[in-house]
Amino acid sequence: MDSSQTNYTILNNSSVEICKSQGVNCTHNSTRLADDILDYMYFFNSYTIKVRAKTQYGETDSDPYVFDPHSITKINPPKNLKITPSSEHLSVKWDPDEPRCQVKYYKTSEPDKAPEVLWTNRFSATIEEVESCINYNVSVRCASERGLWSEWSTEKTALTKLSRSRIRMGLWRKVAELGKNGKRKVHLMWKGIPSTCREAFAVKQVAYNDNTTTGNYTYTSCGSSSCDVDVDHRSHRLYLTVSDSGALLDSIYVPAVGDASLPEVWSIKTTKSRMRGVIQVSWNVSEKPVSSYIIDWTHDGCRYFWKETTFTNATLFGLLHRTLYSITVTPLFNNISGHSIHANPFCSSMGVPEDIDVKVEEVDDKSAFVKWHMKSQNPCNDVDTYTIFYEAQGLQHNVSVSGSEDGVWLKDLKPNTHYNVRVQATGDNETNMSSKVHFITNKYDPRLIKALSICGGILVVLVLSIGLTCAIQWKKFNDKPVPNPRLSSVAKWLTQSHEKVEGFFQPTTDQIENQVVTGKTQRNRGAPLTPVRNGNDCDPSFSSLQENEPEERFSETSETQLLSSPEGSMVFSSSQSSPYRSQDTTEPLLEKPSKNDLGKRQEKTPMKSLYISLNMFEQSDVR
């Protein structure tokens, strides 16, 4: 029979129609019917129904079905859900009061995880074993004693409070040097408290004098993960508390300045591991009793990491790649911290620079000098080798140098050829390649051109120097004065053997500087000398001298002395007019020798005639 043409009717045990349907389901929303069923359920524990099917061909009834009404009843979800968080649990309440209820809860951050279900027979429940400062989603459903479960109520979110017993607290500090104001800055920091906690924190400072508290307490409000406080030179203990409740979370000790009784460590050493982002730290054992060590590290001076160990070595994991870290080790004894030791800044790992700047600084015909420079600001750079790739006309070559080099000569290149150059840095299992740089080799060797240029320059300088020297000499030659006989004077001069004859003329300095001309030289030139006088009258002194002296004194074998005077005008003349300047005669300055003396001297020494030209250069000022 085609069900699409069949009508179904649900009837109770009194053949009263409950609902109709053309399908296999039937729903009746009558409030009156529901009330009748509820009233029936209140008095009876069973209920009977049957199904009647009717078509155009007839109708038929099903067998009666007997059931408990309470087992098919579903109540409405609970309302007015209220959650009260505390440091240890969550308290949940709701309406109405049903005999059976379930409380479902889970972490808000883990929605895909199966929720926890708590059973209760009351209208309230307490959720234990919750974590601190965690958001939980909570909902409730209930059911009658024998009925179906209601739908879950609308979920509500609640944040648990901080519980010291449910967190793994870690507290540490960094102490600065004592300042000029007598204060030390202590940077207090903690871990283990979830960032979702809404509690406010405070630090309680307690100072000690000779291991005795002073009784004065100072409170400082703090942030969610760190706090800065100021202390003096004395030892202090800092207590981290919850502000609103005053609950104590943890405490830390700050030693006094210069306390020699505290333990300390020596000779800290840092080494790089083969694994990236790992540093191994080791130190010597303290001479004083130590219970454990605190090692802390930072890469920016703001965010610190630390851990506790009982060994004299530690391995730091999860460090940032190619980052410089500052590492400190502090000994602990009976919850009292000693003096810290600092290691030199150390890189977590090394790498190659990100940017390589390449330049071709010098190019020849068959070689070129390539230089490179690292532009990275990261101090953790380490290059094992540089490989220089250079290519021309489809042929590629390479040369490798040490990581400490910053330049290389490329040799055996082709003249007048275009080359491409790249530099690859390799180190710590990393490589980085620079961009291409182009250059063209010279057609000729520049050293040859340079040598030719230098030789040409030297030749030009030499020619100019010679020309300048010749010009200077020619100018000096043109400017040199020429002797003029018209400006000369004539006097008699004795030979060396007669210089000591009494009364003979001694030459002056000016006369010695003039040219000496002998009588023989004058005769060879064809100019016989004959003394004459200018003018018609003769000087009496000259005539007297001429009469008293023998004629041999003017002969070729006699020695003659003529004294010049600025006022005189004596000259010698021949058949041609004499070029000598007219001279005035002067009386001899010496006594005239007698004929007997002259005769004796002539017998001993032959006499020669010497003619000396004097003052033959024209003077600028006339005396």
Side-chain angles (χ1 to χ4, degrees):
M1 186 171 61
D2 190 358
S3 62
S4 62
Q5 299 176 359
T6 302
N7 295 322
Y8 298 96
T9 303
I10 308 299
L11 303 175
N12 61 10
N13 56 357
S14 302
S15 297
V16 178
E17 182 181 314
I18 297 177
C19 63
K20 290 183 178 181
S21 174
Q22 292 184 347
V24 295
N25 296 317
C26 183
T27 302
H28 187 77
N29 296 323
S30 173
T31 305
R32 181 180 176 181
L33 178 62
D35 292 339
D36 292 342
I37 296 176
L38 291 175
D39 291 341
Y40 190 86
M41 291 171 55
Y42 182 76
F43 293 103
F44 304 98
N45 292 329
S46 64
Y47 196 78
T48 303
I49 62 172
K50 62 180 178 180
V51 180
R52 178 175 292 171
K54 184 178 181 180
T55 65
Q56 58 181 349
Y57 303 106
E59 61 181 29
T60 183
D61 292 340
S62 68
D63 295 334
Y65 177 73
V66 182
F67 63 92
D68 184 1
H70 294 90
S71 65
I72 63 171
T73 303
K74 180 188 289 187
I75 64 176
N76 293 324
K79 299 182 296 182
N80 301 325
L81 186 64
K82 184 179 181 180
I83 304 174
T84 304
S86 67
S87 60
E88 302 294 336
H89 58 264
L90 291 175
S91 296
V92 184
K93 292 183 178 183
W94 60 88
D95 291 330
D97 186 8
E98 294 293 340
R100 293 187 304 160
C101 291
Q102 288 180 332
V103 178
K104 180 181 67 174
Y105 62 96
Y106 62 91
K107 293 180 181 179
T108 306
S109 60
E110 301 175 352
D112 298 331
K113 189 176 181 179
E116 301 287 340
V117 178
L118 178 66
W119 289 76
T120 179
N121 56 2
R122 301 175 56 187
F123 58 89
S124 65
T126 301
I127 302 176
E128 305 286 350
E129 301 299 329
V130 292
E131 298 180 14
S132 295
C133 303
I134 299 296
N135 283 311
Y136 285 90
N137 287 1
V138 181
S139 63
V140 180
R141 70 176 181 176
C142 296
S144 61
E145 185 177 354
R146 299 191 302 272
L148 302 175
W149 288 102
S150 68
E151 299 293 336
W152 289 102
S153 66
T154 304
E155 289 184 348
K156 280 194 173 182
T157 302
L159 178 65
T160 58
K161 290 189 176 181
L162 177 62
S163 175
R164 178 65 182 88
S165 61
R166 300 185 186 277
I167 62 174
R168 189 176 179 180
M169 185 72 183
L171 183 65
W172 190 235
R173 83 293 182 276
K174 296 294 291 183
V175 183
E177 297 293 333
L178 187 67
K180 295 181 179 179
N181 57 353
K183 297 292 183 179
R184 294 178 292 168
K185 183 178 181 180
V186 179
H187 180 68
L188 197 66
M189 47 198 170
W190 52 88
K191 59 183 178 180
I193 299 179
S195 59
T196 54
C197 289
R198 296 178 181 177
E199 283 82 1
F201 304 102
V203 172
K204 177 183 176 181
Q205 305 178 34
V206 179
Y208 292 87
N209 284 330
D210 298 329
N211 298 325
T212 304
T213 60
T214 59
N216 296 326
Y217 305 144
T218 303
Y219 287 89
T220 304
S221 299
C222 303
S224 60
S225 61
S226 63
C227 188
D228 292 330
V229 297
D230 292 331
V231 299
D232 54 21
H233 66 283
R234 298 174 295 177
S235 60
H236 290 74
R237 182 164 289 277
L238 306 179
Y239 298 90
L240 181 64
T241 62
V242 179
S243 297
D244 54 356
S245 64
L248 176 63
L249 298 177
D250 207 344
S251 67
I252 195 71
Y253 182 79
V254 178
V257 176
D259 190 351
S261 63
L262 298 177
E264 56 185 342
V265 295
W266 303 93
S267 182
I268 186 172
K269 182 180 179 181
T270 54
T271 56
K272 183 177 66 173
S273 173
R274 293 182 178 181
M275 296 183 293
R276 177 178 296 180
V278 177
I279 297 178
Q280 296 175 342
V281 187
S282 60
W283 55 90
N284 292 343
V285 179
S286 174
E287 297 179 354
K288 297 181 180 180
V290 173
S291 58
S292 62
Y293 300 91
I294 294 290
I295 178 171
D296 63 77
W297 62 95
T298 180
H299 66 278
D300 56 4
C302 297
R303 186 180 180 184
Y304 286 85
F305 304 88
W306 69 94
K307 67 178 182 179
E308 187 174 356
T309 180
T310 57
F311 303 99
T312 58
N313 57 78
T315 303
L316 311 182
F317 296 95
L319 305 180
L320 299 177
H321 178 49
R322 293 181 61 197
T323 304
L324 197 65
Y325 279 87
S326 297
I327 302 174
T328 305
V329 176
T330 306
L332 299 179
F333 179 72
N334 293 336
N335 204 23
I336 295 178
S337 56
H339 297 292
S340 304
I341 183 173
H342 304 276
N344 294 327
F346 195 80
C347 290
S348 59
S349 57
M350 306 300 289
V352 297
E354 297 85 0
D355 191 6
I356 306 176
D357 184 22
V358 181
K359 293 182 179 179
V360 181
E361 293 194 344
E362 188 173 348
V363 179
D364 296 336
D365 59 334
K366 294 183 180 180
S367 62
F369 184 72
V370 180
K371 189 177 180 63
W372 53 87
H373 173 67
M374 305 297 107
K375 290 186 176 180
S376 176
Q377 300 297 325
N378 194 325
C380 300
N381 290 328
D382 185 21
V383 179
D384 295 332
T385 58
Y386 289 104
T387 304
I388 298 87
F389 297 91
Y390 55 102
E391 179 183 3
Q393 300 175 351
L395 299 177
Q396 188 178 65
H397 307 273
N398 67 81
V399 59
S400 297
V401 296
S402 171
S404 60
E405 302 291 335
D406 61 353
V408 66
W409 276 99
L410 303 180
K411 299 181 180 180
D412 300 328
L413 305 181
K414 295 181 180 180
N416 195 25
T417 304
H418 185 277
Y419 280 88
N420 299 327
V421 179
R422 293 181 301 170
V423 176
Q424 176 180 280
T426 303
D428 199 20
N429 298 324
E430 290 185 352
T431 59
N432 188 26
M433 183 76 74
S434 70
S435 57
K436 288 185 178 181
V437 176
H438 311 278
F439 71 92
I440 300 176
T441 54
N442 297 327
K443 189 173 183 180
Y444 303 103
D445 190 350
R447 291 172 294 182
L448 177 60
I449 299 176
K450 184 177 181 180
L452 294 177
S453 301
I454 294 175
C455 293
I458 294 174
L459 183 60
V460 171
V461 172
L462 184 60
V463 171
L464 292 178
S465 301
I466 294 175
L468 182 61
T469 303
C470 293
I472 294 174
Q473 295 299 328
W474 178 255
K475 187 175 185 305
K476 288 182 177 180
F477 179 77
N478 288 337
D479 294 341
K480 186 176 181 180
V482 178
N484 188 353
R486 295 183 180 274
L487 302 176
S488 63
S489 300
V490 178
K492 288 191 298 183
W493 191 262
L494 294 179
T495 59
Q496 187 175 1
S497 59
H498 294 81
E499 287 180 358
K500 295 182 180 182
V501 178
E502 184 180 359
F504 276 70
F505 171 76
Q506 300 296 327
T508 63
T509 302
D510 292 339
Q511 293 169 341
I512 294 175
E513 292 177 355
N514 289 278
Q515 183 179 2
V516 178
V517 182
T518 62
K520 183 177 182 181
T521 304
Q522 292 292 338
R523 286 191 302 270
N524 292 336
R525 293 179 181 178
L529 299 178
T530 304
V532 294
R533 289 282 301 173
N534 283 341
N536 298 323
D537 298 329
C538 294
D539 189 356
S541 63
F542 182 80
S543 300
S544 173
L545 179 61
Q546 192 175 15
E547 291 177 358
N548 296 330
E549 293 186 81
E551 293 181 359
E552 288 82 7
R553 296 187 59 182
F554 293 99
S555 65
E556 293 184 0
T557 60
S558 64
E559 186 173 6
T560 307
Q561 179 185 11
L562 298 178
L563 299 179
S564 63
S565 174
E567 296 83 3
S569 58
M570 178 182 291
V571 297
F572 289 95
S573 64
S574 62
S575 59
Q576 298 177 354
S577 61
S578 174
Y580 290 93
R581 183 178 58 185
S582 60
Q583 302 290 333
D584 293 335
T585 58
T586 58
E587 294 294 333
L589 299 177
L590 304 178
E591 295 180 359
K592 183 175 66 175
S594 62
K595 291 181 179 181
N596 296 330
D597 293 336
L598 288 176
K600 293 178 181 181
R601 289 170 183 168
Q602 287 177 1
E603 292 177 357
K604 294 179 180 180
T605 303
M607 298 184 65
K608 296 181 180 180
S609 298
L610 298 178
Y611 300 92
I612 301 174
S613 60
L614 305 175
N615 297 331
M616 298 182 69
F617 296 98
E618 186 176 2
Q619 302 295 325
S620 58
D621 50 342
V622 180
R623 290 180 292 180

